[in-house]
Amino acid sequence: MSKFKLPFLRKATTLNDYELSKENIPEHIAIIMDGNGRWAKKRGLPRFAGHREGMDTVKKIVKVANKYDVKILTLYAFSTENWKRPKKEIDYLMKLPMEFLHTYLPELIEENVRLETIGEFEALPPHTKQAVQDAIEKTSRNDGLILNIALNYGSRYEMTQAIQAICKDVESKKYTIDEIDESALNQHLYTHHLKDPDLLIRTSGELRLSNFLLWQAAYSELWFTEELWPDFNEDLFVEAIRDYQQRKRRFGGI
Ligand code: FPP
């Protein structure tokens, strides 16, 4: 929990009575789900208990996003830097997608959710890859909410890979250096087919992006809350959207 109370950090309130404008729901919401460890520590529990509770929050928030007609929900579940954590915690985090899909896949299918991932998929343990791949296939014909899980994702790595691919295209004379533009780089990102996030939420009071969607979030509206991810809920989700609806997005214009 951050020591200082900043005016734009929000506390949980009950806001279910608030009417959101249906015309201005952010199409793409990205979330940095932070604070699982602290949630567990506060209760004298091991860190994995926080991640487990965090997984249950994922289930709840997917339903809520669907309810408010969000089109894409991107969740930062494991970063390229998270490999620095103790092996036991990594193993647990790698088992979570399996557990999540084992218990929740039928509901995802029923709710017309399509599962996708961004990140270096090949480097994941075989059991994680298999469970995720299976769910991606089983939900591939769904055309409702896209649940996009960032697994082994890092923005700098993503951009470095994109630059390498562009250099190869130049080498093979697919296009010239002068023809490289933003859309060329965009086409080589994991998110090439997705709209950029309209709203980016981070829980737990930390005010940084932590290598998440650095290119894609260039014009995202940012929203921070001191609540820890396991405590994130519908009221806070609605509050974030309400704040978003009150902002003027100018994209550099006036
Ligand atoms: C950051 O909190 C959280 C993570 C690195 C893991 C996030 C994973 C989940 C919420 C579960 C995901 C589930 C599915 C199905 C994808 P932290 O551990 O850094 O917390 P701390 O800063 O309080 O220590």
Side-chain angles (χ1 to χ4, degrees):
M1 193 78 63
S2 85
K3 266 189 188 160
F4 307 104
K5 200 135 178 41
L6 296 168
F8 53 94
L9 289 176
R10 302 288 169 177
K11 277 263 161 215
T13 48
T14 46
L15 279 167
N16 277 338
D17 53 341
Y18 179 77
E19 285 259 340
L20 292 175
S21 151
K22 284 204 171 79
E23 284 71 48
N24 190 20
I25 297 291
E27 273 182 48
H28 184 174
I29 299 184
I31 308 184
I32 302 176
M33 309 181 288
D34 197 10
N36 295 346
R38 277 164 282 172
W39 184 92
K41 197 174 170 202
K42 264 169 67 178
R43 288 161 179 78
L45 297 169
R47 291 179 58 81
F48 78 83
H51 294 314
R52 217 195 166 288
E53 195 71 21
M55 182 187 78
D56 286 341
T57 305
V58 170
K59 289 181 189 173
K60 286 180 213 148
I61 295 304
V62 169
K63 275 195 193 138
V64 170
N66 226 350
K67 171 175 163 186
Y68 289 95
D69 208 22
V70 171
K71 305 294 180 212
I72 308 161
L73 182 67
T74 296
L75 302 178
Y76 204 9
F78 195 89
S79 78
T80 45
E81 287 69 40
N82 286 153
W83 296 107
K84 292 179 201 153
R85 294 187 177 208
K87 185 175 178 309
K88 258 176 114 174
E89 183 169 344
I90 294 172
D91 288 348
Y92 189 79
L93 284 168
M94 286 299 150
K95 274 194 209 133
L96 273 186
M98 283 164 56
E99 198 180 326
F100 173 79
L101 293 167
H102 184 69
T103 55
Y104 192 46
L105 184 58
E107 221 173 302
L108 286 182
I109 294 171
E110 192 164 316
E111 289 185 21
N112 197 23
V113 172
R114 189 163 88 227
L115 183 73
E116 295 189 6
T117 61
I118 53 173
E120 278 310 283
F121 195 75
E122 283 312 312
L124 296 172
H127 58 271
T128 313
K129 279 198 287 195
Q130 204 180 346
V132 173
Q133 196 59 50
D134 178 59
I136 288 175
E137 274 159 29
K138 289 195 170 123
T139 60
S140 63
R141 279 170 294 279
N142 292 353
D143 59 4
L145 174 77
I146 295 175
L147 172 58
N148 184 31
I149 311 260
L151 267 178
N152 195 18
Y153 174 85
S155 227
R156 288 182 172 182
Y157 183 79
E158 177 184 38
M159 284 194 259
T160 309
Q161 292 298 107
I163 290 163
Q164 279 189 14
I166 289 173
C167 289
K168 283 183 187 148
D169 286 346
V170 171
E171 215 170 44
S172 64
K173 305 213 172 346
K174 225 166 146 184
Y175 41 73
T176 66
I177 289 178
D178 291 337
E179 282 165 344
I180 300 170
D181 57 8
E182 288 185 12
S183 111
L185 201 133
N186 204 44
Q187 275 163 32
H188 287 97
L189 301 179
Y190 303 119
T191 51
H192 58 91
H193 59 303
L194 300 174
K195 181 184 196 290
D196 286 341
D198 299 293
L199 173 63
L200 192 152
I201 295 172
R202 182 173 188 148
T203 59
S204 91
E206 308 293 351
L207 306 176
R208 56 178 172 266
L209 291 180
S210 300
N211 205 12
F212 187 47
L213 303 175
L214 300 183
W215 171 278
Q216 299 87 338
Y219 284 101
S220 302
E221 295 298 325
L222 308 181
W223 194 84
F224 300 97
T225 172
E226 286 184 349
E227 296 297 329
L228 305 173
W229 176 249
D231 294 326
F232 193 72
N233 57 26
E234 178 170 354
D235 288 338
L236 286 161
F237 190 83
V238 168
E239 191 181 350
I241 297 180
R242 184 182 65 159
D243 262 18
Y244 169 87
Q245 294 192 337
Q246 285 163 356
R247 301 203 192 162
K248 288 227 168 352
R249 301 186 77 191
R250 293 195 296 270
F251 299 95
I254 50 170

